[in-house]
Amino acid sequence: MCGIVGYIGEKNAKDIVLNGLKKLEYRGYDSAGMSLWDNKTSDHTLIKVKGRIDALEKRIDIKESPLAIGHTRWATHGKVNQENAHPHTSFSGRFIVVHNGVIDNYKQLKKTYLNDKTFTSETDTEVIAFLIDYFVSESLPADKAILKTLRLLEGSYALLVIDRTQPDLIYAAKHKSPLLMGKSNQGIIIASDMMALLPTADQYVALEDETFVTIHQDAFTIFDLNGTVQPYQMQPIDMDDMSSEKGAFDHFMLKEIHEQPAVIRKILNKYFEKNDVLLDTAMLDTIKKHDRIHILAAGTSMHAGLVAKKLLEQWAGMPTEVHIASEFAYDMPLLNGKPFFIMISQSGETADLRACLMRLKKDHHTVMTVTNVRTSTLAREADMVLTIHAGPEIAVASTKAYTAQIAVLAILSYALSHQSFDLKAELSKIASAMDSLLEKHEDFKPIVESLLNKRHCFYIGRGLDYAVALEAALKLKEISYIQTEGFASGELKHGTIALIEEDTPVIALISQNSTASLTRSNLNEVKSRGAKTLSIVVESLRENGETMLIPDANPSLAPLLMVIPTQLIAYYAALVKGYDIDKPRNLAKSVTVE
Ligand code: G6P
């Protein structure tokens, strides 16, 4: 979703901001813009485009600049066009603003303060620029005008503001949308995502909510919204710039699919000492004092939650419910007993989850975040954190985060249980089985070509296989745009089977002994009605004619392997159709608006 990068310092701000914006492309965007100080004209220029950063870059004819701010926009208020792209300028032209987030009361603010003004965009952001100008016209100095504006805003914002009369200064502000300050000895970089700080900065600080910052090239000062200086501590940046490169792979998605065995091994290194689980016993004791777990998540992370629910129930005997975060935040179910909350989020920035967290904290509940980004908002604000150690996930379609989330939650479930099997050995076996499945990844191209030639498709399964079917369907629709449903196979005949016609692709997932024959019967029912079918089956349950085989593993951990072919099916389906695999249409990697 929207991205922000700003830089002031001795290096070339134009290159740093453009590179930073490119690093944020993975989050999804539809237009881009930049404002740079031009030494020739001694003024700021502003360039915006509908479309990609490459197009923006071509339009910039300044070679060097000491100060620049840039933005990638994922439309929330108003169409995708150049007028609505950021930065936005105030009515006198003095202030230039980029903004992530949503201002809920912008219409009201327009009516109260800016009724006589003419706006050039449909965005809520332009109101922020205009308000600052309005308060300056009422004779407030710029910093006081920005603070007054911030105090009036309801909603979320990460903001950078340029005052054209102060060429050596950037203002920043943050509430509910992430914003990080990075520092090196050659300047200050500000960005909405850690990825964009690299390789410019070596230290960073994540801004708290309701903060305002003044930034000069060698120092910055953080204030609260009353203008009182706030203390802060810089942290070293613990991320490798190379890990966000594609390497030998054509797409980040394919690279990330292939990284899964290594991620599982890394998780084993981080969470085991010999055969003992390395999890804080005080943390485990706290969880054990509760009698029901509620998992909150969105998208793929929610699907990982569905698998984790089974593990927490089967292994640890903890009744567990899984909720869609955007539903839970505003339609909270009746909670009884002593509920414990686990938020699963790859990015740790999903706004729907932040809304849940605010609500839960208000009611003094204990919350754990399971995330890939230790420095993220949800990690910082929860009571406990488990890191999934998947490394940066750049492709919008999540793959390695899903399996890493399941692996880490399997370790947690095991640590909460009295199980005595060798989980470490089981997970290492899975990493090796993933390797062997991935060796044959190119075999999926012809399978996809012969199977997926319809506009729709079904994945079916029962129990854990149903949980994987939901993720498999999401993956396929996200990047190949084939309308795909993940379905509980027994439920098909209660209505949905009416959709089956000649050659409708139906893929069955079969990894559980107790339901294998039932799922097969359901597959036969659709086959009799013309469906083109494929079974993905664990070796020990194989029947004649079934060729897509998955190595056997602990059945409770089978989703870690069953999902691999479905990720490859999605990848090759999008490849065959020629779609933008890593940046599918309309989607964002990190969804920072509700
Ligand atoms: C977006 C992404 C999905 C992701 C979901 C939840 O929709 O496109 O891939 O599963 O957000 O994100 P999170 O970072 O909270 O796991």
Side-chain angles (χ1 to χ4, degrees):
M1 212 154 248
C2 302
I4 283 183
V5 187
Y7 176 80
I8 175 167
E10 288 168 25
K11 291 199 193 160
N12 187 358
K14 174 192 154 188
D15 292 347
I16 289 177
V17 171
L18 276 172
N19 284 338
L21 290 178
K22 284 179 189 164
K23 292 240 175 80
L24 300 189
E25 282 193 294
Y26 80 100
R27 296 166 65 103
Y29 70 106
D30 39 51
S31 47
M34 231 171 121
S35 176
L36 320 82
W37 179 259
D38 184 350
N39 283 329
K40 271 198 213 135
T41 58
S42 289
D43 196 4
H44 272 275
T45 57
L46 197 150
I47 306 112
K48 324 202 260 194
V49 296
K50 175 182 164 188
R52 297 286 176 207
I53 291 164
D54 291 345
L56 176 72
E57 189 168 4
K58 283 192 193 119
R59 293 262 320 274
I60 302 175
D61 54 14
I62 296 171
K63 282 213 169 62
E64 290 222 13
S65 171
L67 185 159
I69 61 172
H71 189 265
T72 46
R73 172 175 188 253
W74 189 87
T76 56
H77 288 76
K79 286 195 206 75
V80 177
N81 59 28
Q82 195 175 316
E83 289 72 42
N84 289 335
H86 299 213
H88 289 284
T89 311
S90 63
F91 54 83
S92 77
R94 177 170 162 183
F95 295 97
I96 301 170
V97 175
V98 292
H99 166 223
N100 285 358
V102 175
I103 304 304
D104 300 328
N105 61 339
Y106 80 106
K107 283 190 182 148
Q108 188 55 46
L109 292 170
K110 238 181 189 179
K111 218 154 90 192
T112 314
Y113 297 96
L114 306 164
N115 226 355
D116 58 335
K117 299 285 184 276
T118 310
F119 290 84
T120 56
S121 81
E122 302 158 89
T123 65
D124 48 348
T125 305
E126 206 179 2
V127 173
I128 303 174
F130 274 41
L131 266 182
I132 298 170
D133 221 349
Y134 172 80
F135 291 127
V136 166
S137 73
E138 298 229 304
S139 44
L140 279 184
D143 56 346
K144 298 278 181 305
I146 297 172
L147 277 168
K148 183 158 184 183
T149 302
L150 297 176
R151 288 195 296 266
L152 290 172
L153 302 180
E154 285 168 17
S156 55
Y157 54 80
L159 284 173
L160 296 183
V161 181
I162 280 176
D163 174 358
R164 285 163 82 174
T165 68
Q166 303 186 80
D168 55 351
L169 178 66
I170 301 176
Y171 294 106
K174 149 23 187 186
H175 185 56
K176 289 189 180 171
S177 292
L179 198 60
L180 308 164
M181 307 289 311
K183 200 171 177 183
S184 74
N185 50 15
Q186 287 170 303
I188 309 285
I189 179 167
I190 316 103
S192 51
D193 184 317
M194 180 76 86
M195 209 81 88
L197 297 184
L198 294 169
T200 308
D202 43 34
Q203 310 170 57
Y204 81 101
V205 60
L207 294 177
E208 299 290 337
D209 278 352
E210 301 196 331
T211 47
F212 167 65
V213 195
T214 54
I215 307 152
H216 292 94
Q217 77 163 44
D218 46 7
F220 59 87
T221 312
I222 303 180
F223 303 87
D224 66 12
L225 296 193
N226 295 317
T228 309
V229 174
Q230 300 296 302
Y232 64 87
Q233 202 156 13
M234 303 299 290
Q235 311 273 348
I237 295 183
D238 180 21
M239 194 193 266
D240 172 11
D241 198 26
M242 286 306 287
S243 52
S244 55
E245 303 290 329
K246 253 189 304 213
F249 291 93
D250 290 338
H251 298 95
F252 280 109
M253 183 179 179
L254 192 60
K255 174 183 177 238
E256 289 158 10
I257 289 173
H258 277 80
E259 282 172 347
Q260 292 176 103
V263 171
I264 299 289
R265 292 185 182 107
K266 185 164 181 195
I267 288 170
L268 292 179
N269 274 335
K270 297 278 180 188
Y271 284 103
F272 280 91
E273 171 80 57
K274 298 218 170 100
N275 278 359
D276 297 328
V277 176
L278 285 177
L279 281 176
D280 183 25
T281 44
M283 179 189 87
L284 296 172
D285 289 343
T286 305
I287 302 174
K288 283 180 191 160
K289 283 188 193 127
H290 297 80
D291 57 11
R292 184 168 289 267
I293 293 180
H294 293 269
I295 292 178
L296 313 175
T300 291
S301 299
M302 197 273 287
H303 294 154
L306 295 173
V307 175
K309 164 189 160 73
K310 308 271 180 196
L311 302 177
L312 286 160
E313 292 188 339
Q314 285 171 10
W315 293 356
M318 280 289 230
T320 303
E321 290 174 33
V322 184
H323 308 271
I324 294 172
S326 54
E327 284 296 303
F328 186 94
Y330 301 99
D331 186 18
M332 202 152 145
L334 184 63
L335 303 169
N336 64 344
K338 296 183 205 130
F340 179 80
F341 295 87
I342 300 180
M343 301 193 301
I344 311 177
S345 175
Q346 187 283 128
S347 62
E349 301 294 351
T350 299
D352 296 324
L353 279 161
R354 181 102 198 285
C356 295
L357 182 60
M358 294 288 102
R359 176 85 196 266
L360 294 172
K361 277 174 88 166
K362 212 167 114 224
D363 295 344
H364 307 291
H365 289 296
T366 312
V367 184
M368 165 189 273
T369 292
V370 177
T371 183
N372 200 18
V373 187
R374 185 95 203 175
T375 51
S376 62
T377 307
L378 297 176
R380 290 199 311 275
E381 295 180 351
D383 302 290
M384 311 167 182
V385 186
L386 289 185
T387 310
I388 61 167
H389 299 290
E393 191 179 64
I394 309 291
V396 166
S398 181
T399 52
K400 62 176 179 171
Y402 172 79
T403 42
Q405 286 162 346
I406 293 174
V408 168
L409 286 159
I411 295 170
L412 177 69
S413 308
Y414 179 85
L416 289 169
S417 77
H418 300 292
Q419 304 282 334
S420 58
F421 66 90
D422 188 347
L423 177 63
K424 191 178 175 196
E426 301 279 1
L427 285 170
S428 328
K429 212 166 102 187
I430 281 185
S432 308
M434 282 176 165
D435 279 327
S436 67
L437 282 172
L438 290 168
E439 266 167 31
K440 291 179 274 182
H441 73 92
E442 280 170 356
D443 296 356
F444 284 85
K445 194 163 174 241
I447 294 171
V448 160
E449 281 166 338
S450 68
L451 184 71
L452 298 182
N453 45 17
K454 287 276 177 185
R455 282 219 57 242
H456 46 276
C457 175
F458 290 89
Y459 272 100
I460 61 168
R462 289 171 179 246
L464 276 171
D465 290 328
Y466 171 44
V468 178
L470 292 172
E471 172 56 13
L474 178 64
K475 217 54 22 190
L476 188 57
K477 62 186 141 189
E478 275 181 310
I479 59 170
S480 76
Y481 316 140
I482 295 172
Q483 186 173 4
T484 314
E485 276 194 64
F487 227 80
S489 61
E491 185 66 8
L492 267 181
K493 56 186 170 300
H494 297 294
T496 306
I497 202 165
L499 296 176
I500 301 295
E501 49 191 41
E502 202 57 31
D503 284 347
T504 302
V506 180
I507 305 173
L509 302 176
I510 303 175
S511 71
Q512 307 296 311
N513 190 21
S514 56
T515 51
S517 62
L518 289 167
T519 301
R520 270 201 193 93
S521 305
N522 301 135
L523 193 66
N524 285 332
E525 286 156 11
V526 293
K527 208 170 179 177
S528 320
R529 287 159 179 84
K532 210 186 243 184
T533 61
L534 172 74
S535 301
I536 302 178
V537 190
V538 294
E539 275 164 12
S540 58
L541 297 177
R542 176 182 184 229
E543 285 198 351
N544 280 347
E546 292 174 338
T547 52
M548 193 172 287
L549 302 181
I550 304 301
D552 281 304
N554 180 323
S556 303
L557 297 171
L560 291 170
L561 294 175
M562 294 297 282
V563 78
I564 305 276
T566 73
Q567 295 170 340
L568 291 167
I569 286 171
Y571 174 81
Y572 280 107
L575 189 75
V576 167
K577 286 171 178 279
Y579 292 143
D580 189 345
I581 295 181
D582 289 333
K583 295 193 276 292
R585 70 183 179 209
N586 303 341
L587 296 182
K589 179 80 183 156
S590 178
V591 182
T592 47
V593 294
E594 287 179 59

